[in-house]
Amino acid sequence: MPTSSDKDGHRPAPQLLLRELTAGYGGTPIIRDVSIAVGLGEVVAIVGPNGAGKSTLLKAITGQIRSLRGSVRLAEADVTNMRGDLLARHGVGYVPQVRDVFDTLTVAENLEMGAYLLAKSELPERIHEVLAIFPALQKMRHRRAGTLSGGEHKMLAIGRVLMLRPTTLILDEPTSNLSVSLSKTVLNDYVRRTADAGTAILLVEQKAVAALEISDWAYLMMGGAIRLDGPAGELLDRPDFRQIFLGHVAKHIPSETAGTG
Amino acid sequence: MSVLVASIGFGLISTSILAIAAVGFTLQFGVTNVFNLAYGSVMTGAAYAAYVANQFGVDIWVSMVLGGLFGAALSLLINRGLYTPFARHGLGLAGIIQVTLALGLILENGLQAIFGPSYHSYQMSQGPSFHFGSMVFTAVQVGIMGIALASMIGVHALLAHTKLGKAMRATAADAPLARSCGIRTEFVTDIAWLLSGLLCGIAGVILVMDLQSFTSTTGSNFLVPVLAAAVLGGIGQPYGAMLGALIIGMVSEVAAAVTLPQYKEVIAFVILLVVLLFRPRGILAEVASLKEVVA
C-alpha cells in the first residue's frame, strides 16, 4: 500500500487543518468539535455510517453552511466560513457526491469552467494534461455532460477539478454510483495517483474498506463526531472497526476507543 | 395571397419584438430561477423612460438605448433589492412568483399615477418605406428587425463563445458547483439581470415604436405572448425562446390574416397547448437548455 505517513504515524505538515469545527443548520449543531488534518501527498479518509454527519462536515468546510465554532485552515490561511469561489482561489478543489458536473455544458466546457480562474493562455496546456490522465474524455469533448454514463460522469468531475491543479482536493463519495470494478479504478488510479503527485486529499467514503485500502490516514465519524482515527492500515485490521462496516451496531466502540488513534 | 404575404411581414415584426423580450425573460429564469411576472411592467417602465427622454427632444433611437439602460438598472435593482432577499429568507419558487406579480402591479399602478391613464406616443417618424417583394416595411420596422437580429447574434455569441457567457450557463446549471470552480456567482447573476433587463427595456421601447401608442398596461398585456414564446421553446432556454418567438409571432399574424384578427392570440395559444401536450418541457428541451428544468 502506498503511503505518505510512515508506520509510526508521522505525518506531513497539515495542508488542510480543521480544529474543533462545529456546524449545523439553523444554529443546531450536527457535527461537533471535529478536528482533522490532511497533509500534502496524503489521502485521508473519513468513513462512517449514513447520517454520521459527513456531508454536513464537507458543507461546512466548503462554505455552503456557516460553522458555529472552530476553524478551518489551509496551510497558513484561515479560511473558516469562506465562500466557495474564494476557496477555489486558495487552491481547494471540490467534487460533490451528486451534481458534480455542469449537465447542460459540453465536456470541453466543463473542463474550461474547471480552469475558470486560470488565464486563457494556460487552458490548452491544462486540457492536454487532464486528457492525458483521462484519454477517454477526448472523444466526448463535444458531448453534453448530462448524456454521460456514471463512470464517464465521475471521470469528468475529477478531470474538471484537476484543471485548476488544486493543492487540496475534497471528494464526497466519488464511488457512490459506480460498480465495484469502476470504484477500484477511481480510487486506485485517480485518487491515489493525484495524491502521489502532491495533492492533499480529503476523501469521504461510504465504501470504507475500499477507501481505507488507498488511504494513509482515516477518521471514523459517528453521530456528528470523530470517534477514532489512525493509520488506515491499522484501522482496517481492527476487528471492532470492521464490525461497524459489516453492518453490526457497535454500541461499545465510540467512548471506549476514542482518541486511541 | 397578398394579405398572406403582408401578414408574414407583420409576423416578422412581431417575432422580432417577441424574441428580444422572450430571450430576456428566459435568461432571468434560467440563471436565477425567478419567473419574473413583473417583466411586462418593467418593459412599460422602460417605454416611459424613453418617452421622457423623447419629450426632451432626444432622438427616438437614442431614447431606445436609454430605455434599455433603464430596464437594465431597474431589473438589477429589483433582483438585488427584492427577489434575492426574499429567496435568502427561504421563499420558494411559487412564493417568489407571487412577489413578482405584486411588484408588477405596483409598478404598473405607479406608472399610471405618474403618467395618467391616457395613451402616449413617441415623437418619431416611421421613415421611408422599403419594398421586399410584396412586403412593405417602414424604416422603423426594418430597424426593429435589425436590432432583434443583432441581439440574438449577440446573445448567442456571449453564451456560446465567451468565458462570461459560459460562466452564466454554469451558474444556471448549478450555482454551488460554479462557486466551487471559483466563479463569482453573485457577479454573474448581476450581469444576467443587467443583460436581461437591457433586452426587456429595448423590447418595451420597440414594442411601443411599433404600436405607436401606449399606456401603463401595454407591457403587461404583451407579457402573455412573451410567456408563451418562452415556455413553448422550453423555459430557461435562450434558443428555445427565439424559436418560440418565431412560431408565436408568425402563427398569430398569419392566423389573424386568414381568419379574423381577434383569433390571433387564441390560435397561438392552441398551438402552445398542443405542443406542450406532446413536449411538456418545450420544443428544445434537452437541446440547448441553461438548466434541467422539472416544471
PDB file of all heavy atoms in Angstrom, chain A residues 217-230:
ATOM      1  N   TRP A 217      -4.373   7.783   6.149  1.00  0.00           N
ATOM      2  CA  TRP A 217      -4.889   8.019   7.492  1.00  0.00           C
ATOM      3  C   TRP A 217      -6.403   7.999   7.383  1.00  0.00           C
ATOM      4  O   TRP A 217      -6.940   8.301   6.312  1.00  0.00           O
ATOM      5  CB  TRP A 217      -4.419   9.387   8.003  1.00  0.00           C
ATOM      6  CG  TRP A 217      -4.489   9.532   9.491  1.00  0.00           C
ATOM      7  CD1 TRP A 217      -5.547  10.005  10.205  1.00  0.00           C
ATOM      8  CD2 TRP A 217      -3.474   9.217  10.442  1.00  0.00           C
ATOM      9  NE1 TRP A 217      -5.252  10.019  11.535  1.00  0.00           N
ATOM     10  CE2 TRP A 217      -3.978   9.528  11.717  1.00  0.00           C
ATOM     11  CE3 TRP A 217      -2.181   8.690  10.326  1.00  0.00           C
ATOM     12  CZ2 TRP A 217      -3.234   9.334  12.890  1.00  0.00           C
ATOM     13  CZ3 TRP A 217      -1.446   8.512  11.494  1.00  0.00           C
ATOM     14  CH2 TRP A 217      -1.975   8.828  12.764  1.00  0.00           C
ATOM     15  N   ALA A 218      -7.058   7.621   8.458  1.00  0.00           N
ATOM     16  CA  ALA A 218      -8.515   7.585   8.383  1.00  0.00           C
ATOM     17  C   ALA A 218      -9.147   8.045   9.684  1.00  0.00           C
ATOM     18  O   ALA A 218      -8.569   7.868  10.765  1.00  0.00           O
ATOM     19  CB  ALA A 218      -8.999   6.178   8.041  1.00  0.00           C
ATOM     20  N   TYR A 219     -10.305   8.667   9.537  1.00  0.00           N
ATOM     21  CA  TYR A 219     -11.087   9.079  10.691  1.00  0.00           C
ATOM     22  C   TYR A 219     -12.436   8.367  10.620  1.00  0.00           C
ATOM     23  O   TYR A 219     -13.041   8.295   9.546  1.00  0.00           O
ATOM     24  CB  TYR A 219     -11.340  10.584  10.661  1.00  0.00           C
ATOM     25  CG  TYR A 219     -10.106  11.431  10.829  1.00  0.00           C
ATOM     26  CD1 TYR A 219      -9.289  11.713   9.736  1.00  0.00           C
ATOM     27  CD2 TYR A 219      -9.761  11.962  12.073  1.00  0.00           C
ATOM     28  CE1 TYR A 219      -8.154  12.500   9.877  1.00  0.00           C
ATOM     29  CE2 TYR A 219      -8.631  12.745  12.222  1.00  0.00           C
ATOM     30  CZ  TYR A 219      -7.824  13.022  11.121  1.00  0.00           C
ATOM     31  OH  TYR A 219      -6.715  13.795  11.265  1.00  0.00           O
ATOM     32  N   LEU A 220     -12.877   7.886  11.768  1.00  0.00           N
ATOM     33  CA  LEU A 220     -14.208   7.280  11.824  1.00  0.00           C
ATOM     34  C   LEU A 220     -15.161   8.308  12.428  1.00  0.00           C
ATOM     35  O   LEU A 220     -14.933   8.814  13.523  1.00  0.00           O
ATOM     36  CB  LEU A 220     -14.188   6.014  12.683  1.00  0.00           C
ATOM     37  CG  LEU A 220     -15.574   5.445  13.050  1.00  0.00           C
ATOM     38  CD1 LEU A 220     -16.321   4.983  11.802  1.00  0.00           C
ATOM     39  CD2 LEU A 220     -15.435   4.295  14.039  1.00  0.00           C
ATOM     40  N   MET A 221     -16.198   8.612  11.690  1.00  0.00           N
ATOM     41  CA  MET A 221     -17.148   9.598  12.159  1.00  0.00           C
ATOM     42  C   MET A 221     -18.464   8.909  12.481  1.00  0.00           C
ATOM     43  O   MET A 221     -18.974   8.099  11.701  1.00  0.00           O
ATOM     44  CB  MET A 221     -17.360  10.652  11.067  1.00  0.00           C
ATOM     45  CG  MET A 221     -18.021  11.903  11.558  1.00  0.00           C
ATOM     46  SD  MET A 221     -17.937  13.192  10.300  1.00  0.00           S
ATOM     47  CE  MET A 221     -18.621  14.532  11.253  1.00  0.00           C
ATOM     48  N   MET A 222     -19.016   9.202  13.644  1.00  0.00           N
ATOM     49  CA  MET A 222     -20.338   8.671  14.022  1.00  0.00           C
ATOM     50  C   MET A 222     -21.048   9.711  14.865  1.00  0.00           C
ATOM     51  O   MET A 222     -20.432  10.341  15.721  1.00  0.00           O
ATOM     52  CB  MET A 222     -20.180   7.384  14.845  1.00  0.00           C
ATOM     53  CG  MET A 222     -19.852   6.149  14.004  1.00  0.00           C
ATOM     54  SD  MET A 222     -19.650   4.691  15.042  1.00  0.00           S
ATOM     55  CE  MET A 222     -21.361   4.225  15.301  1.00  0.00           C
ATOM     56  N   GLY A 223     -22.322   9.858  14.627  1.00  0.00           N
ATOM     57  CA  GLY A 223     -23.116  10.786  15.431  1.00  0.00           C
ATOM     58  C   GLY A 223     -22.569  12.202  15.455  1.00  0.00           C
ATOM     59  O   GLY A 223     -22.689  12.895  16.456  1.00  0.00           O
ATOM     60  N   GLY A 224     -21.978  12.623  14.363  1.00  0.00           N
ATOM     61  CA  GLY A 224     -21.536  14.008  14.267  1.00  0.00           C
ATOM     62  C   GLY A 224     -20.184  14.289  14.879  1.00  0.00           C
ATOM     63  O   GLY A 224     -19.758  15.435  14.947  1.00  0.00           O
ATOM     64  N   ALA A 225     -19.483  13.246  15.344  1.00  0.00           N
ATOM     65  CA  ALA A 225     -18.175  13.485  15.945  1.00  0.00           C
ATOM     66  C   ALA A 225     -17.179  12.435  15.465  1.00  0.00           C
ATOM     67  O   ALA A 225     -17.559  11.356  15.019  1.00  0.00           O
ATOM     68  CB  ALA A 225     -18.291  13.449  17.464  1.00  0.00           C
ATOM     69  N   ILE A 226     -15.898  12.780  15.539  1.00  0.00           N
ATOM     70  CA  ILE A 226     -14.847  11.820  15.205  1.00  0.00           C
ATOM     71  C   ILE A 226     -14.694  10.874  16.394  1.00  0.00           C
ATOM     72  O   ILE A 226     -14.471  11.309  17.523  1.00  0.00           O
ATOM     73  CB  ILE A 226     -13.508  12.544  14.950  1.00  0.00           C
ATOM     74  CG1 ILE A 226     -13.639  13.527  13.795  1.00  0.00           C
ATOM     75  CG2 ILE A 226     -12.399  11.522  14.681  1.00  0.00           C
ATOM     76  CD1 ILE A 226     -13.928  12.914  12.456  1.00  0.00           C
ATOM     77  N   ARG A 227     -14.868   9.575  16.146  1.00  0.00           N
ATOM     78  CA  ARG A 227     -14.813   8.630  17.250  1.00  0.00           C
ATOM     79  C   ARG A 227     -13.447   7.971  17.375  1.00  0.00           C
ATOM     80  O   ARG A 227     -13.037   7.556  18.441  1.00  0.00           O
ATOM     81  CB  ARG A 227     -15.901   7.552  17.100  1.00  0.00           C
ATOM     82  CG  ARG A 227     -17.288   8.127  17.200  1.00  0.00           C
ATOM     83  CD  ARG A 227     -17.412   8.937  18.487  1.00  0.00           C
ATOM     84  NE  ARG A 227     -18.575   9.791  18.474  1.00  0.00           N
ATOM     85  CZ  ARG A 227     -19.743   9.469  19.023  1.00  0.00           C
ATOM     86  NH1 ARG A 227     -19.894   8.327  19.617  1.00  0.00           N
ATOM     87  NH2 ARG A 227     -20.750  10.315  18.977  1.00  0.00           N
ATOM     88  N   LEU A 228     -12.739   7.787  16.262  1.00  0.00           N
ATOM     89  CA  LEU A 228     -11.364   7.317  16.365  1.00  0.00           C
ATOM     90  C   LEU A 228     -10.649   7.607  15.061  1.00  0.00           C
ATOM     91  O   LEU A 228     -11.268   7.828  14.035  1.00  0.00           O
ATOM     92  CB  LEU A 228     -11.293   5.832  16.727  1.00  0.00           C
ATOM     93  CG  LEU A 228     -11.969   4.784  15.865  1.00  0.00           C
ATOM     94  CD1 LEU A 228     -11.001   4.209  14.849  1.00  0.00           C
ATOM     95  CD2 LEU A 228     -12.466   3.660  16.750  1.00  0.00           C
ATOM     96  N   ASP A 229      -9.341   7.654  15.127  1.00  0.00           N
ATOM     97  CA  ASP A 229      -8.578   7.855  13.901  1.00  0.00           C
ATOM     98  C   ASP A 229      -7.239   7.154  14.036  1.00  0.00           C
ATOM     99  O   ASP A 229      -6.835   6.744  15.134  1.00  0.00           O
ATOM    100  CB  ASP A 229      -8.400   9.338  13.595  1.00  0.00           C
ATOM    101  CG  ASP A 229      -7.393  10.013  14.504  1.00  0.00           C
ATOM    102  OD1 ASP A 229      -7.493   9.820  15.736  1.00  0.00           O
ATOM    103  OD2 ASP A 229      -6.517  10.728  13.995  1.00  0.00           O
ATOM    104  N   GLY A 230      -6.587   6.978  12.923  1.00  0.00           N
ATOM    105  CA  GLY A 230      -5.305   6.299  12.939  1.00  0.00           C
ATOM    106  C   GLY A 230      -4.858   5.981  11.537  1.00  0.00           C
ATOM    107  O   GLY A 230      -5.561   6.287  10.569  1.00  0.00           O
TER     108      GLY A 230
END
